Amino acid sequence: MTSAPPPEGPPSVSNGARVRATVRDARFHLTRHARRVLRRRLVAARRSDNAVLQRAYVLGRQTARRTLNTVTDRQVGWVATLWSARWLDGTTYELTGWAYERGYGHQQPPQIEVELRRRGSAPVRARVEPVTEMEINGLARRAEFDYANTAFVARFDLAPLLAGTDPRPWRVHLRVTGADGRSSSGTLKARHRAGSARVLGARTFPGGVQLVPRWVRRRGLSLERRVPGATAAHVEVQGREVRARVELRGVRAVRAELVSRDARRPLTLERVDGTPGTVLVSAPVPETWTTTWLESDLLVSDTDETSTQGARESSADGGLEEVTAEQSAPTAPAPEGDEHEGQRLVAQTYRLVVVDEQGVEHVAATPLDQSDPVQDPRSGLLAYSGDGGSLLLGETRSQLVVSEATLEPGPDPRLVFRGTWGGPGDQLSLSLVGRRQTLSAHLDLADDGTWSASTDLLQGQWGGPARLPRTGSYVLRAVDPTGGTVRVMTAPSLIARTPEKLPFDEARLRWETGRGRSLRLRVGLTRGPDELGSYHQRRMDAAYLHGPHEPQQSVYLESFYGRLATCNPFAIDAVIAREHPDWVRYWGVTDLSVPVPEGAIAVVEGTQAWFDARATSRYVVVNDWLRSRFVRQPFQTVLQTWHGSMFKRIGLDRPTAGASTRAALLVERDKWDVLLSQNHHSTRIFRSAYAWEGTFYEEGYPRNDALVDGSGEHVRERLGIRPDQKAVLYAPTWRDNTAGMVLFLDLERLTAELGEDYVVLLRGHSRTVGHGRSVELPGVIDVTTYPSITELFLAADAMITDYSSVMFDFSVTRRPMIFYVPDLDEYRDDVRGVYFDLAEEAPGPVVSTQDAVVDAIRTMDDTDRYAERYDDWVERFNHLDDGRSAERVVRRLFGEG
């Protein structure tokens, strides 16, 4: 019996679609291939030693850029950045920044012209002073030259703008001319978004006329003359009430309101007898409560060049400057029994709006300009000038205004703050909050409405030595005793100074202004002017590669790419310091916040000292890849200690390892002389995963020496763990398909179910430190930044992990382990792959639900169930972890064993 053939469809349609898809794919791949070939040839021409080829490349690039810029407005190759903008005396407006054409350097500072242009009007030229700015190189990507000498300070006298009546804007235009006569020109293309170039304040002159600077994407900075229809000439704040005298120009007001994103508050409007065109407005401003859980849900996002057009226009018109999550945490909910129970207090930012007879709304301007905000110590109301010169009224329960921020240098440098405050101020706390570090400050609130605070710049973490903060941004943040938000706002006089460099030789520090006018401390990389940026890094790379280098009696050590000074290199360092005290020990670190062992010398990555230490040390000891910036010298011995035995597949054994990964892996492998292995299991895997046929030190792990006879009592005291509490370390590994830390456990629920007799130590993987912030929950101590995980092993009574190599180290303690692996199938089959069946061999329960985790914790003292498995596990993986591993490794390394 034969089946009937399937009905025929319209083959012409399906076949045609298939052909078109094939053509599109072919065109895409052909175009991509052509781009790659062209890019490679251009790079080869740019780097060629042939002068004719280099000249042809330069002329071709310049011609292509000019052609493209003539037919479009993209300004290809043109770099012009606004670094700061501020008003000086009278009509003087100052801009700082830099301008250059990519790929063209200047042996001498070029001539830079800055002027205001408007069609049909004579240009207004600025007085320009050339300066040198090291930050240019730090921000330039793939720089071919040192651009530090292309910076400028330009000062405009804007009297011609004030005298005119044309409302059309003037745009800032720049021209750069080198010593060879070649010139490039264009508008400002970018601005520094953490300072005065972000908060562009207006200036008000007699008669209510305002000069308003604005930033427009792809058009740069412009200035315009504006005569607002309503100006709040005088503003008072008394308690929760605001009063203002409003001068009207061509507007007949019928009502006035305070308008925020979430509310409209009516104002009482009174006309002033004998003063036509002037009205008095006033109203109490109540607090705003909402049932929304997170305050950030009600706030507009930060407006920048990537925002929507509507948001950009709103900001340009003096739109609301909302309090943002950068400087404020969610407010605490109202307590039980309160009239607002179940709600949270939400900060508001209002504009004063005058409505005329036709229903048209006129946003009131203000002459406050660069003046300090109007504030009352009895309330959180705050009146100040917005970006576009309009009057803004901030409303929170409490407000702190920062009018002064300084650095007091010396052996114990301090950051000092001063300002004014308003609202309930009892027991407010102030701190500089970074992504993974907080600098607590001492705050003093005076009865006269002023406040002062100070914080030590050098502070220790986890009981360690006082060090510089980690690189990054630290926001000045204040909270009340309940954890409620207290807005911290930078005064206009301080904003005008930002970004402001601080006098500190050990690091690049500066004050910046963030979203919501928050004040930030920026901690930059500790590099000198001739070490900053891609140009100088390539220059030092080339010198390092060219050599030659003289060997020194020194050892270079590095752990986790310099993010820490721990693990196997740390244990090896201790033995070298004891048995070879005449050898210099260098530690490569990402920044000076990383503490190094006593007597060792920290060298920051990318500095000349870092290059020299790596180039001249006879021994190089690392626990991760050295990467392309390292070239082994003929006199060097490189010991790769690695950082764990393997459950998850690594290197060439990974199912996702493509051709480029395999090639990079083999290049890295060839930098090593000796590979340290914890056990025979690891030795076997290294042979396949890195195709390693070289020397092995199969000696156990030096980092585990401390686990043999060590005690965790001092660590528990440092972390605040009570003697009667059970400490459970939760240490999940990182995921190839996820950037941040993976938390499958609901920690809030977990600690609630376990009760106060337990505390959870949360340890994120070193690769996830740069993502997210520290977890703050009752019963949880986030120890992600704790330097030594070995000390955490000693402090913990049990550990929860998944696929991390910590399972092979913690087992030295013989304490309970719980394996929480809800994504085991996906991880094993799709993400990474594994070397053995965890369920069959694990020395503890392997579970996939949170309830099972809780049960396993509560029964963790029952060790008999997994005793035999634990014995087998230790015999297989820890038989060499006897407390003398580091000694054996150092003796072999130095040829003594």
Side-chain angles (χ1 to χ4, degrees):
M1 182 176 182
T2 60
S3 60
E8 295 186 2
S12 59
V13 175
S14 59
N15 292 338
R18 206 174 290 118
V19 169
R20 286 193 296 272
T22 302
V23 171
R24 282 197 304 268
D25 290 343
R27 185 186 302 145
F28 169 77
H29 291 295
L30 182 63
T31 303
R32 186 171 63 174
H33 177 71
R35 287 176 178 172
R36 288 177 177 174
V37 172
L38 178 61
R39 187 182 299 113
R40 284 197 296 266
R41 292 186 177 180
L42 290 176
V43 170
R46 184 182 64 194
R47 298 178 178 176
S48 173
D49 294 330
N50 187 315
V52 175
L53 190 59
Q54 279 192 341
R55 181 61 179 168
Y57 166 76
V58 170
L59 291 175
R61 178 173 61 182
Q62 193 169 20
T63 301
R65 285 178 177 175
R66 287 180 175 174
T67 302
L68 190 60
N69 292 338
T70 299
V71 298
T72 70
D73 61 351
R74 295 184 60 185
Q75 304 186 93
V76 176
W78 173 248
V79 177
T81 301
L82 178 64
W83 184 246
S84 68
R86 61 174 179 168
W87 289 96
L88 301 180
D89 295 335
T91 56
T92 303
Y93 193 54
E94 180 186 88
L95 309 178
T96 69
W98 51 82
Y100 59 87
E101 184 178 356
R102 283 196 301 270
Y104 298 96
H106 302 278
Q107 294 294 327
Q108 303 174 355
Q111 179 185 356
I112 300 179
E113 303 169 70
V114 186
E115 61 185 19
L116 293 173
R117 292 183 179 180
R118 186 176 66 183
R119 181 171 298 181
S121 302
V124 177
R125 293 185 172 85
R127 302 189 309 276
V128 180
E129 173 188 351
V131 294
T132 299
E133 176 54 68
M134 61 182 286
E135 299 295 338
I136 301 176
N137 290 324
L139 297 172
R141 297 182 178 179
R142 299 185 296 276
E144 301 174 59
F145 297 94
D146 184 344
Y147 295 118
N149 63 359
T150 64
F152 64 85
V153 177
R155 295 184 178 92
F156 286 101
D157 181 359
L158 300 182
L161 277 67
L162 188 63
T165 58
D166 192 337
R168 292 181 302 154
W170 297 76
R171 184 160 293 117
V172 176
H173 194 275
L174 304 93
R175 178 176 294 275
V176 178
T177 305
D180 59 355
R182 185 180 66 239
S183 66
S184 303
S185 63
T187 61
L188 288 163
K189 290 189 66 177
R191 59 172 170 167
H192 182 61
R193 298 196 55 80
S196 55
R198 176 195 187 94
V199 186
L200 297 170
R203 171 152 289 184
T204 307
F205 297 91
V209 180
Q210 290 185 322
L211 293 181
V212 182
R214 302 189 190 281
W215 181 268
V216 180
R217 187 183 181 218
R218 294 183 179 174
R219 297 185 179 183
L221 182 67
S222 63
L223 288 104
E224 64 181 57
R225 180 182 185 274
R226 189 180 71 164
V227 182
T231 300
H234 181 73
V235 181
E236 293 181 358
V237 173
Q238 295 184 358
R240 298 295 305 181
E241 184 174 4
V242 61
R243 300 174 183 174
R245 180 167 59 86
V246 181
E247 297 177 354
L248 305 175
R249 298 174 186 85
V251 175
R252 181 170 178 81
V254 294
R255 71 176 189 276
E257 296 176 331
L258 292 175
V259 180
S260 75
R261 175 175 178 175
D262 307 306
R264 299 181 76 96
R265 311 290 188 190
L267 291 165
T268 300
L269 188 149
E270 301 178 11
R271 304 193 182 278
V272 180
D273 294 337
T275 310
T278 301
V279 295
L280 299 178
V281 296
S282 62
V285 184
E287 296 175 337
T288 304
W289 292 82
T290 179
T291 54
T292 303
W293 277 101
L294 293 178
E295 180 179 340
S296 57
D297 292 343
L298 289 178
L299 304 178
V300 295
S301 60
D302 178 40
T303 305
D304 59 13
E305 284 88 348
T306 62
S307 302
T308 63
Q309 182 65 30
R312 286 196 298 271
E313 292 174 352
S314 174
S315 177
D317 286 334
L320 304 189
E321 299 173 5
E322 303 288 354
V323 184
T324 63
E326 177 171 294
Q327 68 161 332
S328 59
T331 57
E336 293 185 14
D338 189 274
E339 62 176 319
H340 297 292
E341 181 180 350
Q343 296 181 316
R344 293 174 183 263
L345 183 65
V346 178
Q348 296 293 313
T349 303
Y350 295 96
R351 287 180 292 182
L352 196 161
V353 173
V354 174
V355 184
D356 63 20
E357 296 172 315
Q358 284 74 41
V360 177
E361 296 184 347
H362 301 268
V363 178
T366 178
L368 285 173
D369 297 341
Q370 310 304 305
S371 303
D372 289 339
V374 177
Q375 196 171 19
D376 184 348
R378 296 172 295 173
S379 78
L381 294 182
L382 191 72
Y384 59 99
S385 175
D387 287 4
S390 59
L391 175 67
L392 297 182
L393 183 71
E395 177 265 309
T396 60
R397 177 158 289 184
S398 299
Q399 299 258 18
L400 290 177
V401 176
V402 189
S403 56
E404 188 64 31
T406 58
L407 169 65
E408 292 184 354
D412 300 308
R414 294 192 314 154
L415 302 171
V416 179
F417 309 93
R418 294 183 178 85
T420 57
W421 65 280
D426 296 339
Q427 300 178 347
L428 298 184
S429 61
L430 187 70
S431 55
L432 283 162
V433 181
R435 184 176 293 275
R436 290 286 185 179
Q437 187 173 358
T438 298
L439 307 178
S440 299
H442 173 72
L443 175 63
D444 182 22
L445 299 173
D447 294 336
D448 62 355
T450 62
W451 65 273
S452 61
S454 64
T455 181
D456 294 329
L457 179 62
L458 309 181
Q459 295 189 16
Q461 284 192 290
W462 307 109
R467 310 287 297 181
L468 277 167
R470 296 169 177 267
T471 55
S473 181
Y474 295 79
V475 181
L476 192 63
R477 181 177 294 168
V479 295
D480 62 26
T482 68
T485 300
V486 177
R487 185 180 185 187
V488 181
M489 192 183 85
T490 311
S493 58
L494 180 54
I495 291 176
R497 289 164 32 195
T498 59
E500 179 183 31
K501 296 181 181 179
L502 302 182
F504 196 72
D505 295 335
E506 288 77 11
R508 293 164 47 242
L509 306 177
R510 62 175 180 256
W511 295 124
E512 295 184 336
T513 308
R515 292 178 292 179
R517 301 199 180 196
S518 59
L519 181 67
R520 305 193 306 188
L521 173 69
R522 170 69 67 175
V523 181
L525 288 173
T526 305
R527 292 179 182 170
D530 58 348
E531 299 170 338
L532 193 63
S534 57
Y535 170 77
H536 288 299
Q537 290 297 301
R538 281 206 313 276
R539 175 183 58 78
M540 290 188 289
D541 267 328
Y544 166 63
L545 294 174
H546 185 267
H549 305 289
E550 292 295 326
Q552 304 296 323
Q553 188 168 295
S554 61
V555 183
Y556 174 84
L557 304 104
E558 185 178 288
S559 176
F560 298 113
Y561 304 130
R563 292 191 292 262
L564 297 168
T566 58
C567 195
N568 292 315
F570 177 83
I572 292 171
D573 173 276
V575 176
I576 294 175
R578 183 180 70 241
E579 298 187 358
H580 303 277
D582 53 334
W583 282 68
V584 179
R585 294 138 46 224
Y586 294 106
W587 273 90
V589 296
T590 54
D591 59 56
L592 292 179
S593 72
V594 180
V596 300
E598 184 177 355
I601 300 173
V603 287
V604 176
E605 180 183 0
T607 62
Q608 188 61 57
W610 179 78
F611 278 101
D612 292 343
R614 286 159 62 102
T616 60
S617 294
R618 288 188 179 272
Y619 297 110
V620 176
V621 181
V622 296
N623 77 341
D624 215 326
W625 282 27
L626 284 155
R627 296 166 291 180
S628 60
R629 303 194 76 178
F630 176 81
V631 176
R632 184 182 57 191
Q633 303 301 312
F635 53 81
Q636 287 181 328
T637 298
V638 177
L639 171 61
Q640 172 59 261
T641 74
W642 206 240
H643 48 268
S645 289
M646 306 86 181
F647 170 69
K648 55 189 177 185
R649 292 187 175 274
I650 65 169
L652 300 175
D653 293 344
R654 293 169 55 183
T656 57
S660 59
T661 300
R662 298 171 69 89
L665 185 147
L666 296 178
V667 169
E668 175 66 25
R669 177 208 61 186
D670 291 342
K671 302 178 190 296
W672 310 337
D673 292 295
V674 182
L675 188 53
L676 178 63
S677 173
Q678 184 181 10
N679 44 53
H680 189 66
H681 163 82
S682 298
T683 301
R684 178 177 54 81
I685 290 173
F686 277 132
R687 291 191 190 280
S688 64
Y690 277 94
W692 180 256
E693 297 178 355
T695 301
F696 274 107
Y697 286 177
E698 189 175 306
E699 298 288 359
Y701 259 1
R703 70 184 183 188
N704 292 338
D705 289 350
L707 297 177
V708 176
D709 297 315
S711 171
E713 293 304 316
H714 70 288
V715 182
R716 292 173 68 96
E717 292 177 4
R718 182 181 298 167
L719 298 177
I721 303 172
R722 301 195 314 267
D724 61 319
Q725 280 184 310
K726 295 283 189 181
V728 181
L729 177 64
Y730 179 33
T733 191
W734 64 290
R735 301 297 196 275
D736 302 70
N737 55 354
T738 304
M741 181 166 52
V742 176
L743 290 178
F744 286 115
L745 286 177
D746 183 338
L747 296 177
E748 190 170 10
R749 175 187 152 202
L750 177 66
T751 54
E753 292 181 358
L754 293 176
E756 296 184 358
D757 291 337
Y758 294 84
V759 61
V760 175
L761 306 180
L762 175 62
R763 175 72 172 191
H765 194 276
S766 61
R767 295 198 179 197
T768 68
V769 172
H771 302 276
R773 298 183 180 274
S774 297
V775 174
E776 298 180 5
L777 286 172
V780 176
I781 304 175
D782 193 327
V783 290
T784 298
T785 60
Y786 195 92
S788 172
I789 195 172
T790 303
E791 293 187 0
L792 297 177
F793 291 158
L794 292 171
D797 296 290
M799 183 179 73
I800 307 170
T801 188
D802 44 20
Y803 320 111
S804 173
S805 64
V806 295
M807 67 176 75
F808 303 103
D809 302 310
F810 190 77
S811 54
V812 176
T813 68
R814 299 300 297 259
R815 296 171 187 172
M817 282 193 286
I818 302 165
F819 299 86
Y820 181 48
V821 288
D823 62 337
L824 177 58
D825 292 343
E826 178 188 7
Y827 193 86
R828 179 192 58 221
D829 300 334
D830 301 324
V831 176
R832 203 60 176 312
V834 299
Y835 285 112
F836 58 86
D837 190 333
L838 187 64
E840 292 293 328
E841 302 187 37
V846 179
V847 298
S848 59
T849 66
Q850 178 149 335
D851 291 338
V853 171
V854 174
D855 292 339
I857 293 174
R858 287 175 173 162
T859 60
M860 66 184 185
D861 292 333
D862 181 11
T863 58
D864 293 341
R865 180 181 175 188
Y866 293 95
E868 185 176 348
R869 275 198 189 183
Y870 220 133
D871 291 340
D872 294 342
W873 181 280
V874 170
E875 177 60 28
R876 180 181 180 186
F877 300 115
N878 302 123
H879 68 284
L880 293 172
D881 293 322
D882 57 1
R884 307 297 294 275
S885 175
E887 293 180 3
R888 293 193 297 270
V889 170
V890 171
R891 287 170 185 168
R892 293 185 67 174
L893 184 65
F894 279 73
E896 301 170 349

